[in-house]
Amino acid sequence: MIVDRDRIERRIAAAIEHLRGPRYSRSLRAIQRHAYIPEYMATLAYFTAELESLGFDVDFDPVGTLVARNRPVGTPVVGLGSHCDSNRNGGAFDGTLGVVVAVEVCRSLSELEIDVPLQVMSFLEEEASGFGELLLGSRVMLNDIPRERIQELRSIDDGRPFLEHASEAGFCPDALDRSGEALDDLIAWIEVHIEQGRVLQDAGVALGVVSGIYGYIHGDITITGRGDHAGATPMNARFDPVPAMAEIVLELERLAREAGADTVATAGEVDVAPRLINAIAERARLSLDVRSLDGGRMEVIVDSVTQFAVEAASRRGLSAAYAERGRAMGTGMNPEIVQLLEDCAEAADVPHLRMASGAVHDTLMVARRVPSAMLFVPCRDGVSHSPDEHANCGDAAIAVDVLVPAVCAAARSGTRKGRS
Amino acid sequence: MIVDRDRIERRIAAAIEHLRGPRYSRSLRAIQRHAYIPEYMATLAYFTAELESLGFDVDFDPVGTLVARNRPVGTPVVGLGSHCDSNRNGGAFDGTLGVVVAVEVCRSLSELEIDVPLQVMSFLEEEASGFGELLLGSRVMLNDIPRERIQELRSIDDGRPFLEHASEAGFCPDALDRSGEALDDLIAWIEVHIEQGRVLQDAGVALGVVSGIYGYIHGDITITGRGDHAGATPMNARFDPVPAMAEIVLELERLAREAGADTVATAGEVDVAPRLINAIAERARLSLDVRSLDGGRMEVIVDSVTQFAVEAASRRGLSAAYAERGRAMGTGMNPEIVQLLEDCAEAADVPHLRMASGAVHDTLMVARRVPSAMLFVPCRDGVSHSPDEHANCGDAAIAVDVLVPAVCAAARSGTRKGRS
């Protein structure tokens, strides 16, 4: 144990508790903060003050991603952080815990009087709650959203443009193209996040070392039949899309199971129209959420289930069509940083598990330019995006204990590489 | 051909067209009239005037069912009619055509100078659009709704009590118990209605002779699992209620097909909560609409699918429960009247089909006290409860041509029985 885990646990718990308060969340029942609302700006101000007290210069990218460094621009640094916005019915840990942990790593190093070149980041709006775009800050930074799309983004609250809100909040969206500069000096990036699943809890392990982040394909299959009277239409004269939808749901599950580990598929939305107890539906729809580390495997599932849907519908005299909503390719984490984190966990005698992340994170974007990895902290029953979300701050303190030597090593290694 | 079908077709078409007008429907796009609104009262006034011009005395039961006779109370009469309210997005034919046809039978007999003891009825609100209760008028008449339930009925429009609305419309709901007296003199009852299915259209036949009306059981099966993150939860760690729901939908279909003719089952409502593309649902629900002439067969399907649901859920570590919304037993039609209608159709050289009604009708209630039958007129593509609803008025004129000799024969036969 390099750090005093109990003391760090108390500090993390105090910070999380503080950021639940009315200054930092629109709702007291759930955490509710999204880009640019006063509670979000207060949260950025809180982290700014904490980091300045540790000797960091705090700056913001053109749309408001917090970028704090203890070295001048142009000096190689190790990056730590996450995001501090929430979904609209959020918990206190998703995202925020990763920024709090990053600050605690900085504080611990300061207390240990170890000077490591660091950069802490809190990405603008990861949860899409303000402007409807997932990973908004990190995608802007990686130039992953077409400029026209950015100009079309509107606030869910008031319908006014994203760029107008960014300006009003004091940022410089005119310099959008310069957002990527925040990554220029990073020689490594590590994000800590709650797991949002139950793998760690089920394994009884305090720390997950993330080896990759799943990509996803999101889409819908719509089956069109014929709406008819539920009583007056004999079974053999029906064109009911609901049983066809049922067959497709089961095939999707079968395909995902067949694909093996590190691939999942979910029909999370199901609906029918008209939705009447005494009417055969005219249309039925299921959503597809297919995720995998392996992009090819995702495509095989989507293609196979679409083909199955068309055939299953056709057997019943119906039609079926697939429409894609969006996709992102998954990414592996940097093997050297993953190994480093595992070595540090071993050295600290921390039971850990190598695992993939089924959820997307800002690190999916950052990893395109910077050698990256993630640490997962268990969350109770896998619950997230809910006021019931809970994580053990003791587990987060363990993450700090692993990160302190890890960032030292990463900085040494990166600096060597930078000099070679 | 006893009557001039072309002339009757034109008269029926004119009446239907007239009753589409703004005086008779709240909407001009769809027919929208339910109990006691001005458009409904205007429709009753229209039929009152038509029937008075044919020498009928028009009266109303305590809640507003129109009861018109050409004989004094206490004289045996043959009953004809249907209902003239619509669902809120209705067509011009459902219900109303049956009252229009009844009036045309009376008019034809008058033109032929045949004096038959008749009673025309237009039941109060069959479609549940005003007060949420199907077959409201006929169920009141048959004392099928508990008094407490009647007192609880509220207007969907303004939330005020049914009985208050009935009073304001000029009826005498205090005398509710006397509603059944309207059936006292009926020796037979025949309702004409559009089929609301495609059996007649598919068979290319102008007339259906209804041999029975299906009963129904309405209920819901709810499957409860565990809501989880769609990405972060491996396939083998899920408690997803959606695939279980899919299995139940398919089993329901299988059971209905296995039960054979005259039994149908439909999952018309399907929903999940939360309904998010990236979340495994916590709960899924399907509605059950099971119909058959045979009450035992309905119960077997509901019991079997419930047992299947519990087992299918249990195999996945989920729970499932069935809750019933309501049920009504089916009924056979009076064999003598059915035979009489078939004989009259034969005599008039009208191709016809004996069939069951999968939809419920006021006749389901009337048949409890009066020897009853129904005639179906085809409707285009089986569409009903929709502005697209359409029937051929020529087919309705054929029904008049069959009914004229049928009511004569029924009156003779009933009178003989009454005297014997």
Side-chain angles (χ1 to χ4, degrees), chain A residues 97 193-197 199-201 204-208 376-382 390-392 395-396:
Chain A
L97 182 68
H193 203 279
I194 56 169
E195 181 202 342
Q196 304 181 266
V199 171
L200 293 174
Q201 175 177 293
V205 160
L207 208 62
F376 274 169
V377 169
C379 60
R380 189 177 59 198
D381 298 334
H390 182 75
N392 183 343
D395 294 337

Side-chain angles (χ1 to χ4, degrees), chain B residues 20-41:
Chain B
R20 275 188 205 272
R23 259 177 86 184
Y24 304 102
S25 171
R26 226 187 224 180
S27 155
L28 282 182
R29 208 188 59 82
I31 301 295
Q32 209 179 99
R33 62 174 168 251
H34 46 268
Y36 310 139
I37 68 172
E39 294 78 3
Y40 182 77
M41 300 308 286

Side-chain angles (χ1 to χ4, degrees), chain A residues 67-105:
Chain A
V67 183
R69 317 162 195 243
N70 61 2
R71 289 290 188 284
V73 171
T75 317
V77 285
V78 173
L80 292 173
S82 186
H83 62 94
C84 68
D85 63 299
S86 77
N87 67 311
R88 288 191 177 234
N89 184 38
F93 298 86
D94 186 340
T96 302
L97 182 68
V99 188
V100 168
V101 162
V103 170
E104 286 309 317
V105 171

